[in-house]
Amino acid sequence: MRCITQFAQFTKWLGVISSISVLTVGAVEARDWSVIKDSGKMVVATEGAFYPFNFFEGPKLTGFEVELAEAVVKQLGLTLEWRVVSFDAQLASIRQDRFDFAIASHGYTEDRAKAVDFANPHYCTGGQIAAQKDGPLTIAALKDKTVGVQIGTSYMDNAKKIPGLKELKTYKADPEAFSALKAKKTDAWISDKWLIKSTLEKNADSGVVAGEQVFVEKVSMILRKNNKELMDQLNRGLAEVIKNGTYQALSQKYFKTDIGCRS
Ligand code: ARG
């Protein structure tokens, strides 16, 4: 009897050990389009703190990019499973294949393109200054001022190029950079122009206004390098939701205008 129990224990452990190794193998295995298609499900990462592109409404992940990705994946005949990953961890974790693609407002840069591939852009935008009404609202006015940005973003990279800043403060997520500006811990904030517009509409009493645009960028979904079939499928899905009007409906819903790139 005892022997049987021990054997049962042993096989149970074997089961645990082998499922651990399956999990580990699964985590590092690159998912090609055929594997994704067979699984019926696309695993997609976003951040959930970039209003109104990807954010939480109570417990629910939503926003322009969340709904857009859901439409693209549905167009491809698959279901979607979300992963919430902090923005500054997304480039590294995609290379470890923890998800099939990320949609979190990544602007194209040559540097990022060394690590990941970019799909066709799903919106065109720019980095913009925001400050209190009497604060620094132009690049020139930022001399000797403290600027807040989200860490790992193109706003951070571009703010570093502005000559004569007193200090560049980085925040884990964009709402913290906005809060720091409201609390006057910084003199200005640089973020996405659509995000600033929407955030200021929602916080009309903040005293913060939008200023000069600092740079322009094209925003895309990012995926693991050299995954051509998946790239083609994502671009096909995106083109389809643009063609069938879903894209424009979402853009109107969130921005009351078409934020697509005019090529
Ligand atoms: N567009 C900017 C960039 O490419 C910021 C993106 C931040 N995205 C986010 N989900 N917080 O760096």
Side-chain angles (χ1 to χ4, degrees):
M1 190 60 191
R2 189 160 161 233
C3 189
I4 291 171
T5 323
Q6 276 182 351
F7 182 71
Q9 284 288 355
F10 177 66
T11 47
K12 197 172 137 201
W13 271 110
L14 268 188
V16 170
I17 290 165
S18 62
S19 58
I20 288 172
S21 54
V22 166
L23 273 180
T24 333
V25 170
V28 292
E29 189 181 281
R31 293 227 310 169
D32 290 330
W33 169 246
S34 59
V35 180
I36 295 170
K37 204 171 146 214
D38 288 348
S39 77
K41 181 178 81 183
M42 193 88 93
V43 182
V44 187
T46 192
E47 180 202 34
F50 205 62
Y51 177 82
F53 293 98
N54 58 79
F55 64 100
F56 279 93
E57 213 165 54
K60 194 176 173 281
L61 194 56
T62 189
F64 175 71
E65 289 183 307
V66 170
E67 290 202 55
L68 181 64
E70 283 169 353
V72 168
V73 169
K74 190 168 166 206
Q75 181 67 41
L76 300 177
L78 302 172
T79 59
L80 188 156
E81 189 177 301
W82 285 107
R83 293 269 192 284
V84 174
V85 181
S86 67
F87 181 75
D88 61 330
Q90 290 184 8
L91 249 78
S93 36
I94 205 166
R95 293 167 73 188
Q96 293 153 10
D97 292 297
R98 300 226 178 102
F99 42 82
D100 301 313
F101 72 90
I103 184 162
S105 290
H106 287 91
Y108 179 89
T109 68
E110 276 174 17
D111 233 27
R112 286 176 178 166
K114 288 179 195 148
V116 293
D117 281 343
F118 283 73
N120 290 336
H122 59 271
Y123 72 96
C124 271
T125 186
Q128 189 178 27
I129 301 168
Q132 301 288 339
K133 273 186 209 75
D134 56 354
L137 287 163
T138 61
I139 298 174
L142 288 177
K143 194 173 167 341
D144 296 325
K145 301 291 184 209
T146 300
V147 175
V149 290
Q150 182 183 16
I151 196 160
T153 58
S154 50
Y155 322 123
M156 181 179 92
D157 296 341
N158 282 277
K160 279 183 185 162
K161 294 182 203 154
I162 299 173
L165 288 192
K166 181 175 169 204
E167 193 186 349
L168 182 61
K169 287 194 177 173
T170 55
Y171 298 88
K172 185 82 183 155
D174 220 42
E176 293 165 24
F178 178 50
S179 296
L181 174 63
K182 282 190 293 181
K184 306 205 166 129
K185 288 182 189 149
T186 54
D187 301 305
W189 167 43
I190 300 178
S191 187
D192 179 84
K193 69 168 183 184
W194 299 112
L195 179 146
I196 289 175
K197 187 169 183 284
S198 306
T199 303
L200 298 186
E201 276 166 17
K202 223 174 88 173
N203 296 271
D205 56 353
S206 66
V208 173
V209 295
E212 191 179 356
Q213 190 163 313
V214 183
F215 65 96
V216 294
E217 65 180 358
K218 289 185 176 184
V219 164
S220 294
M221 302 178 260
I222 56 164
L223 55 154
R224 183 173 50 86
K225 274 203 99 57
N226 305 320
N227 204 345
K228 186 176 178 319
E229 247 190 307
L230 177 58
M231 172 71 90
D232 289 348
Q233 293 294 335
L234 288 178
N235 283 336
R236 185 175 68 84
L238 178 62
E240 205 52 52
V241 301
I242 291 173
K243 211 170 97 189
N244 72 19
T246 307
Y247 179 96
Q248 284 74 11
L250 287 174
S251 185
Q252 288 297 334
K253 171 178 170 183
Y254 285 99
F255 306 101
K256 297 184 201 77
T257 183
D258 189 347
I259 67 166
C261 301
R262 295 173 218 291
S263 46

